[in-house]
Amino acid sequence: MKTPVLALALALAALIGAGSAVAATLTVRPGDDLAAVVKAAAPGDVVEVARGFYRVNLLIDKPLTLRGINRPTLSGGQTGDTIRVTAPDVVIEGLIVRDSGDSLKDQNAGIYLYPGAHRAVVQNCDLTYNLFGLWIEKANDVRVQGNTITGKREYNSSQRGNGVQLYNTTGARIFDNNISFMRDALYVDVSHHAIFRGNKLHHSRYGTHYMNSYHNLWEDNDSYYNRGGLALMEVRDQVVRNNRAWGNSDHGIMLRTIQDSVIENNVVAGNNRGFFIYDVEYATLRGNLVVDNVVGVHLAAGSTRNVVEGNDFIANREQVRYVGARDERWGAQSGNHWSNYLGWDRDGNGIGDVPYEANDMVDRLTWQHPSMKLLLASPAVQALRLVGQQFPILRVPSVVDPKPRMQPGNQHWSQWRGKHFSGQ
C-alpha cells in the first residue's frame, strides 16, 4: 500500500515527466522534411528551423512554437498558403515566409490563421511576396509584432491582397510592423477591443481600411505615401491618438459615419485632404496638427455635434471646405489656431477678438476659380476677406470659431511642411 508521501512523489514525478515532454525541442535542417517533423511533434513542442530554404505548404494543427534560427526561408512555391494554422496557442517567429498562391477567392496568404487559432503569435518575421501577408479570421487575442510585410509590388493594387487582414476577431494586438506595397496595409473588419500601435504603413491603397469595428485603440502609427492614410468607416468608440498621417495622395485621416470617438494629438500633414469628415457625430477632435495640406478639413454630410478644440490649422491652402445649411461651431470652449486668421487681440489674452470664419467669400471663389490660389497671400485678396466679413449679405454657412487662438499649440509645426506625396 502506498504511503501518502510516496503517492505525492509519484504524482510529482508524473507531472515533471509530462512537462519535459511538452518542452521537447525538435531541430529541422536543410534537406529535412519540415512538414513531417511538425506533423510528428507533440502539442507544446518547439520546432527550430535552421537557416536554409524550405519549399513547403505547412499545416500547424496543434499548439507549438515554430522558431527560425538565423532566418530560414519557407516558400509556398506560389500555391496555396505557405503556413496555415488551425490550432490555438501557436507561436511563429524568426522566419522568412514567402511565395503564397495568387487566388483572391481562396485568400492565399503567407500565414493564414484559421477560425479557432486563438492566442497565436507571429513575431519578427519577414512576410514577402505573398498575396495576403497575414489573414486572421475568427481568431481572438492574437499578437502580430515586429514583422516586415511586403506584397507583390509589380501587381496592380486591385490584384494584391492586404498586409494584415483581421476579420471577426477580438483582442488583437498589432504592434511595430512595417507594411508596404499591399492593397491595404491593414484591413480591419468586425474586429473589436484591438490595439494598433507603432506600425509603419506605406505605399499601399490605404494605410488602414477600418470598418464595422468598435472599442479599438489606434496609437503612434505612421501612414504615408498611400492613397489614403487612415480610413475609419462605420465605427464607434475609437481612440485615435498620437499618429502621423502624411504625404498621402488623397486623405490623411478619413472619418466616415463614426460616433463616440476621440481623435487627438495627431499630425496630419502634406496630404491632398488632411481630414475628410463625413457623417460624424459625437466625436472629439483635439490637439491635432493639420498642416500644409491642400485642404485642411473637408467637412460634409451633416457632421455635427462634435467637439473640435485646441487644434492647429496651419498653412493649408484651403483651411476648411464646408458646404452646409447652417453654421458649424468649433472651438466654443477654448478655440483652435488658424494661421490665416486676420483678426486682432487687443486685450492680449491670446484669443482673437472677432470670430474666425473658415468658409468665407474668398474660399468660395477659390473653389470656383482655382487659379486664385496663386494670389491668396496678396493684399488685395486679404482685403476681399475683410470686405466679406463686413457685408453679411455675401455670407454663406461656415465653420465658425468664436475663440480663435493667436498662437499654435504645437511649437514644432514647421518641421512638417513639405511632406508631400511621393510614389517612390
Side-chain angles (χ1 to χ4, degrees), residues 16-291:
I16 292 170
S20 63
V22 168
T25 298
L26 309 174
T27 301
V28 180
R29 296 180 175 83
D32 293 344
D33 189 336
L34 173 58
V37 173
V38 168
K39 184 176 181 180
D45 280 353
V46 176
V47 178
E48 292 190 340
V49 184
R51 183 178 179 86
F53 182 89
Y54 301 83
R55 166 65 180 90
V56 67
N57 295 100
L58 188 62
L59 172 64
I60 302 177
D61 58 1
K62 68 201 73 172
L64 57 75
T65 296
L66 182 67
R67 178 180 299 143
I69 306 300
N70 296 323
R71 307 197 73 74
T73 297
L74 276 58
S75 171
Q78 301 189 39
T79 62
D81 307 317
T82 303
I83 300 177
R84 179 177 298 181
V85 179
T86 61
D89 301 305
V90 170
V91 177
I92 300 172
E93 59 186 5
L95 301 168
I96 299 172
V97 182
R98 59 174 301 148
D99 304 329
S100 78
D102 267 353
S103 174
L104 289 168
K105 177 182 177 182
D106 296 329
Q107 302 154 182
N108 292 155
I111 300 175
Y112 198 134
L113 302 182
Y114 266 67
H118 306 307
R119 299 175 297 280
V121 176
V122 179
Q123 60 187 6
N124 302 324
C125 291
D126 288 344
L127 304 176
T128 183
Y129 211 72
N130 300 294
L131 189 65
F132 291 86
L134 264 162
W135 185 291
I136 303 169
E137 180 176 355
K138 298 180 182 177
N140 298 329
D141 302 312
V142 303
R143 178 161 56 88
V144 178
Q145 185 167 9
N147 303 286
T148 298
I149 303 174
T150 54
K152 302 190 174 188
R153 59 190 298 171
E154 75 274 20
Y155 285 23
N156 293 328
S157 176
S158 61
Q159 295 176 307
R160 301 173 185 170
N162 302 314
V164 175
Q165 174 129 356
L166 284 171
Y167 174 68
N168 201 358
T169 72
T170 61
R173 300 292 181 263
I174 313 297
F175 296 160
D176 304 319
N177 302 284
N178 190 324
I179 309 176
S180 60
F181 296 101
M182 310 299 302
R183 184 197 303 162
D184 299 332
L186 285 176
Y187 187 96
V188 183
D189 192 16
V190 198
S191 294
H192 316 305
H193 300 284
I195 300 175
F196 304 87
R197 179 182 292 135
N199 301 286
K200 296 184 183 301
L201 313 167
H202 53 101
H203 294 93
S204 299
R205 182 182 66 170
Y206 289 137
T208 293
H209 195 168
Y210 195 85
M211 301 179 65
N212 307 305
S213 301
Y214 311 134
H215 303 288
N216 294 325
L217 170 62
W218 180 263
E219 183 176 52
D220 194 29
N221 302 282
D222 284 272
S223 300
Y224 57 96
Y225 295 167
N226 306 290
R227 187 184 310 169
L230 171 60
L232 296 172
M233 296 185 280
E234 306 285 347
V235 301
R236 67 173 186 264
D237 296 298
Q238 308 290 309
V239 176
V240 181
R241 68 187 179 204
N242 298 329
N243 304 286
R244 296 155 296 276
W246 52 273
N248 298 289
S249 66
D250 187 356
H251 62 266
I253 298 179
M254 175 197 291
L255 308 174
R256 177 165 181 162
T257 314
I258 77 169
Q259 296 84 34
D260 304 311
S261 297
V262 175
I263 297 89
E264 62 183 0
N265 301 328
N266 302 285
V267 174
V268 186
N271 308 283
N272 187 51
R273 295 181 290 179
F275 278 102
F276 177 37
I277 301 175
Y278 184 100
D279 186 27
V280 174
E281 295 183 300
Y282 307 109
T284 297
L285 285 80
R286 62 187 174 216
N288 300 288
L289 171 61
V290 185
V291 57

